[in-house]
Amino acid sequence: MQKAEAKNRIEELRREIDQHNVYYHEQDEPQISDAEYDILMRKLLELEAQFPDLIVPESPTQRVGGEPLPHFNKVEHEVPMLSLSNAFNEQDLRDFDERIKRLLGTTEMEYVCELKVDGLAVSLLYEEGRFVRGATRGDGQIGEDITQNLKTIRSLPLKLNKPVTLEVRGEAFMPRSAFTRLNEKKREKGEAIFANPRNAAAGSLRQLDPKLAAARSLDLFLYGTGMVQEETPPTHSAYLDWLAELGFRINPKRRVARTIEEVVAYIDEMEQARADLGYEIDGIVIKVNERRYYHALGTTAKSPRWAIAYKFPAEEAVTVLRDIEIKVGRTGAVTPTAILEPVSLAGTTVSRASLHNEEIIREKGLMLGDHVKVKKAGDIIPEVISVLEEKRTGAEREFHMPSSCPACESQLVHLEEEVALRCINPECPAQIREGMIHFVSRGAMNIDGLGEKVIIQLFEAGLIQSVADLYTLEEKDLLPLDRMGEKSVNNLIAAIKRSKENSMERLLFGLGIRFVGAKAAQILAEHFGDLERLRHASSEELEEIEGIGPRMADSVRMYFAKPEVEQMLMRLQQEGVNFRYKGLTQAEKGAVDSPFADKTVVITGTMEAMGRKEAKEKIEALGGKVTGSVSKKTDYVVAGASAGSKLEKAKELGVDVIDEARFLQMLADD
Ligand code: IVH
């Protein structure tokens, strides 16, 4: 493609991608699938790689470009980022209204009501319409520079519709759907989950590697100003509209209230709507609409007098702890679950809450029959907070963890330093059942339509005793199950059949070997390429693999040494379940003995044969790492034409410099 043509196409792609971001984030109505979006993005990346001088900072490809940072730089806020004083009831709001009217000597006052989104306050700096820096609030005076991570938020405009210079402030947050997905993934990997979307958003924005932040799908609403050089509209509501015109995402639920009664009505309405929003809110922010009053009202040490945050009452409820149920997980860990008198809380009915382990039951002093206070942690996961001892009647009973497994009656044990009790009987039916639920789950064999309920029914009907039995199920086995019509049975059988073609890492993860999460399964699959080879690997061979520790190696060895495992694998193989890894193996990636294996490379200048992006991909495919700046740790500097300071630095440090011809040679040699 000629440069002129490429330029047109690049601009067209950018417009298209930006428009799809608007459909997706602002209108909540995606017009294309994620896969189609990725195709557009890839096309743009390819063209930009061919014509690197056409890359501009506001291109959507520039959202995730940078390398991990060593640390975050400090940013001083020219205008401090204050917080808000709180109102907890209607009276507090009326006091706020009266104080303002008294201070200003008026009888009427108009307010803007906004949702108080539960995320992290951020400041965004634009110079002549371009996003140049983003920062956290920090202590209000000094925050951290998180520009790279903020850029990954697709609804953050990299370029505004007018070349204005201003600092805007708003809330970065994680939508509920992204939060659920993230925790699901963490659970699959056996990692600690985030308690609520706020913590998850904070954790993501504090990732030094922007690629990790990008994977977290954060979003953003703007609601305020920092430093401004422009003439801004006289009212806050007009200011928000102006921000929207510039291209910022503003919360559509904002509303002007002409009296404090209208404020109260808005709060009531939003409290009802709260459960159906795609994100968490913890209150309502009320701001004086006329900005000319702000100066006169002034601020206290911490917060402005022209705004207040109404905090929703913490969603708590009192109910009765009826029983404590013991659940045996697939690894044999035994966890107690509180069975509660159903109670309505934050829009859903709560009847169970995990108690995690016996120690927590002791700490809280829970007895069966107690009245307990429950809340939704992060308004999602129900939690028992405390006992109402004054409500005791004497009929409450103490709870003891059983000493034997409720499913198989074998003795429970504490392994090493673990707080959790475990059932270590490999034939425990509860563990087997949970293991099968894991096997079919999304991160493992991903068998659509085969959820927990179906597995339990099949298991209880004696139709499946091991995962291998799944592959012999027939229509007649499934039809009698609850809510199973002919169509769903056919779909299910097709899904089971499809899963036979899965690549090795899914099967390996699905087997549920202790300590082998999705990531380790991937590493092992890449290394061995076939389950048969892994099965016969020695401990030494396993431990040599990067990312596989001795504990995991032992666990893998022990697992495959079991005769019942051998049996099961043989049956899976007979049923035609694929054991091979279908992605690129380490060897195929050429990472083992390529000239770039484990080398740190910096690319500079322009090459004729390819753009930097392509060069980077090639080096990475050969096991190398490409970074942005030259240091003593750099192994090679690939220098194209008109290379500048990086080449100088390389010479200064004595780093091996490779010109384009030699670079191409090295690629070809492999
Ligand atoms: S205005 C000086 N508006 O609540 C006024 N804050 O306690 C600054 N927040 O740190 C804040 N939604 O993180 C404002 N619509 C909204 C908000 C909002 C959430 C957060 C923000 C701030 C905290 C104030």
Side-chain angles (χ1 to χ4, degrees):
M1 202 184 287
Q2 292 300 307
K3 191 157 174 184
E5 194 189 333
K7 185 162 185 276
N8 284 336
R9 183 71 186 119
I10 283 177
E11 280 165 7
E12 189 179 280
L13 280 166
R14 283 179 192 152
R15 267 198 306 278
E16 233 177 304
I17 292 170
D18 285 339
Q19 183 58 47
H20 285 298
N21 283 340
V22 172
Y23 288 138
Y24 187 93
H25 284 279
E26 267 146 74
Q27 302 173 357
D28 262 340
E29 269 179 21
Q31 307 279 336
I32 54 171
S33 68
D34 287 359
E36 285 166 314
Y37 180 91
D38 289 343
I39 291 175
L40 292 179
M41 201 66 159
R42 259 206 310 274
K43 269 193 206 148
L44 179 56
L45 276 167
E46 273 167 26
L47 284 176
E48 287 184 345
Q50 272 177 34
F51 300 97
D53 53 326
L54 294 180
I55 299 176
V56 292
E58 63 269 20
S59 171
T61 57
Q62 301 307 297
R63 289 189 184 272
V64 203
E67 290 300 319
L69 301 169
H71 58 85
F72 292 113
N73 288 327
K74 299 272 178 258
V75 168
E76 192 168 343
H77 300 299
E78 263 181 63
V79 179
M81 290 182 81
L82 300 176
S83 71
L84 295 171
S85 51
N86 292 325
F88 295 101
N89 48 46
E90 206 175 312
Q91 191 54 49
D92 291 347
L93 290 172
R94 291 188 184 281
D95 292 348
F96 165 74
D97 181 45
E98 274 161 27
R99 188 170 57 243
I100 287 176
K101 288 174 178 165
R102 196 181 59 237
L103 287 169
L104 295 172
T106 60
T107 51
E108 309 269 301
M109 189 50 54
E110 211 173 73
Y111 298 104
V112 176
C113 304
E114 294 168 12
L115 301 183
K116 188 168 186 299
V117 177
D118 202 8
L120 243 79
V122 294
S123 139
L124 313 178
L125 184 63
Y126 286 80
E127 278 170 6
E128 308 205 336
R130 283 173 204 267
F131 176 56
V132 292
R133 193 201 69 201
T136 61
R137 174 169 180 268
D139 62 3
Q141 307 286 338
I142 291 175
E144 285 178 323
D145 186 330
I146 52 163
T147 311
Q148 286 212 71
N149 288 341
L150 285 170
K151 267 192 184 174
T152 69
I153 302 182
R154 286 204 214 155
S155 55
L156 179 148
L158 297 175
K159 190 179 170 197
L160 301 177
N161 295 327
K162 282 184 206 138
V164 289
T165 295
L166 85 170
E167 182 201 347
V168 284
R169 291 173 180 179
E171 200 82 353
F173 63 94
M174 184 174 286
R176 284 197 174 121
S177 55
F179 174 70
T180 313
R181 256 196 329 264
L182 174 62
N183 267 356
E184 234 168 58
K185 264 197 227 148
K186 289 196 152 266
R187 221 174 267 124
E188 276 166 13
K189 284 196 205 154
E191 295 173 3
I193 60 167
F194 283 115
N196 54 51
R198 195 196 127 76
N199 290 0
S204 307
L205 284 178
R206 299 216 66 253
Q207 293 286 346
L208 288 165
D209 184 351
K211 290 194 188 62
L212 289 174
R216 300 276 178 89
S217 329
L218 299 177
D219 207 341
L220 184 70
F221 284 125
L222 284 312
Y223 51 65
T225 47
M227 178 279 305
V228 256
Q229 290 180 355
E230 313 292 325
E231 177 99 16
T232 51
T235 61
H236 182 59
S237 59
Y239 170 72
L240 293 178
D241 293 341
W242 180 68
L243 288 185
E245 276 165 36
L246 287 175
F248 289 111
R249 182 154 144 80
I250 314 298
N251 194 296
K253 299 269 187 221
R254 65 186 182 277
R255 187 182 299 166
V256 173
R258 276 160 307 172
T259 60
I260 203 72
E261 283 72 31
E262 284 187 14
V263 169
V264 173
Y266 176 87
I267 291 177
D268 286 345
E269 200 182 310
M270 291 306 138
E271 223 167 338
Q272 297 302 316
R274 185 178 180 192
D276 300 322
L277 297 169
Y279 43 85
E280 302 261 321
I281 60 172
D282 61 346
I284 301 293
V285 180
I286 300 113
K287 300 174 182 168
V288 167
N289 197 13
E290 292 283 347
R291 288 156 60 95
R292 67 193 154 106
Y293 293 141
Y294 290 6
H295 189 72
L297 289 168
T299 62
T300 67
K302 273 178 42 219
S303 47
R305 288 199 191 85
W306 44 265
I308 198 162
Y310 171 83
K311 288 289 202 61
F312 289 136
E315 305 247 356
E316 288 179 0
V318 172
T319 187
V320 176
L321 175 63
R322 276 200 197 147
D323 198 1
I324 293 178
E325 203 177 83
I326 304 298
K327 190 171 151 75
V328 185
R330 72 179 161 90
T331 60
V334 171
T335 46
T337 302
I339 305 300
L340 305 164
E341 192 74 49
V343 60
S344 154
L345 191 59
T348 57
T349 305
V350 172
S351 54
R352 310 167 70 84
S354 173
L355 293 168
H356 307 288
N357 57 55
E358 190 171 16
E359 228 163 79
I360 289 183
I361 300 177
R362 294 281 153 268
E363 268 168 28
K364 297 198 164 145
L366 299 182
M367 287 172 78
L368 300 176
D370 261 336
H371 279 80
V372 291
K373 208 186 264 182
V374 290
K375 74 162 185 187
K376 282 206 186 163
D379 287 319
I380 293 193
I381 306 159
E383 185 186 315
V384 174
I385 331 170
S386 60
V387 175
L388 303 179
E389 283 185 34
E390 65 279 14
K391 288 241 183 188
R392 285 205 171 138
T393 62
E396 294 76 17
R397 285 160 297 128
E398 250 192 65
F399 169 80
H400 294 285
M401 285 293 271
S403 54
S404 59
C405 172
C408 70
E409 289 172 12
S410 60
Q411 191 73 28
L412 297 177
V413 295
H414 278 289
L415 287 185
E416 292 135 35
E417 304 283 282
E418 286 186 346
V419 254
L421 270 176
R422 266 180 205 283
C423 166
I424 49 167
N425 170 16
E427 277 155 41
C428 170
Q431 286 181 54
I432 294 174
R433 191 188 60 203
E434 294 300 315
M436 291 202 264
I437 293 172
H438 169 73
F439 184 82
V440 303
S441 69
R442 206 141 32 110
M445 293 298 267
N446 190 24
I447 305 182
D448 248 357
L450 199 51
E452 186 166 335
K453 293 213 172 86
V454 182
I455 291 281
I456 292 175
Q457 286 186 63
L458 289 169
F459 186 73
E460 277 166 8
L463 286 164
I464 48 172
Q465 268 121 30
S466 125
V467 293
D469 297 329
L470 288 171
Y471 293 96
T472 57
L473 286 174
E474 293 174 16
E475 201 174 317
K476 67 172 184 358
D477 301 324
L478 296 166
L479 269 174
L481 301 184
D482 286 352
R483 276 187 274 166
M484 274 287 188
E486 203 154 320
K487 188 150 174 247
S488 39
V489 165
N490 286 337
N491 286 343
L492 183 49
I493 289 185
I496 294 175
K497 193 163 162 218
R498 255 198 322 275
S499 77
K500 290 184 189 176
E501 302 306 319
N502 281 340
S503 175
M504 169 184 170
E505 70 281 7
R506 284 189 172 272
L507 174 63
L508 181 56
F509 174 55
L511 294 176
I513 305 169
R514 198 130 187 256
F515 308 124
V516 180
K519 180 144 181 241
Q522 177 70 31
I523 296 175
L524 290 168
E526 274 182 23
H527 186 89
F528 291 98
D530 193 309
L531 200 69
E532 279 302 315
R533 281 202 52 215
L534 167 65
R535 212 149 72 86
H536 299 109
S538 66
S539 300
E540 297 76 57
E541 199 178 343
L542 285 163
E543 273 178 53
E544 270 172 19
I545 305 169
E546 203 179 305
I548 308 292
R551 200 176 60 155
M552 207 192 293
D554 283 349
S555 173
V556 169
R557 290 271 306 136
M558 264 157 54
Y559 178 83
F560 286 113
K562 291 183 202 165
E564 68 273 16
V565 167
E566 191 177 340
Q567 269 277 314
M568 187 250 310
L569 291 176
M570 221 163 70
R571 286 194 49 214
L572 285 177
Q573 212 159 22
Q574 277 164 4
E575 295 301 333
V577 174
N578 170 55
F579 277 19
R580 285 191 326 278
Y581 177 57
K582 294 187 167 179
L584 290 180
T585 60
Q586 285 296 325
E588 278 162 343
K589 279 184 185 166
V592 184
D593 51 11
S594 92
F596 293 109
D598 294 321
K599 298 282 191 255
T600 302
V601 185
V602 172
I603 310 170
T604 181
T606 31
M607 282 187 272
E608 269 173 23
M610 68 185 86
R612 265 185 232 175
K613 199 115 204 165
E614 194 184 337
K616 178 168 189 265
E617 280 166 11
K618 294 221 151 105
I619 293 169
E620 283 170 353
L622 293 170
K625 193 171 124 199
V626 177
T627 63
S629 58
V630 182
S631 73
K632 274 185 292 193
K633 291 201 190 118
T634 311
D635 295 295
Y636 302 123
V637 169
V638 176
S642 52
S645 61
K646 289 183 190 173
L647 179 58
E648 294 299 333
K649 184 93 187 271
K651 286 181 182 156
E652 204 178 288
L653 295 172
V655 174
D656 215 351
V657 176
I658 302 171
D659 63 12
E660 178 166 358
R662 192 168 145 222
F663 177 58
L664 295 175
Q665 188 71 51
M666 282 166 86
L667 290 181
D669 275 351
D670 179 66

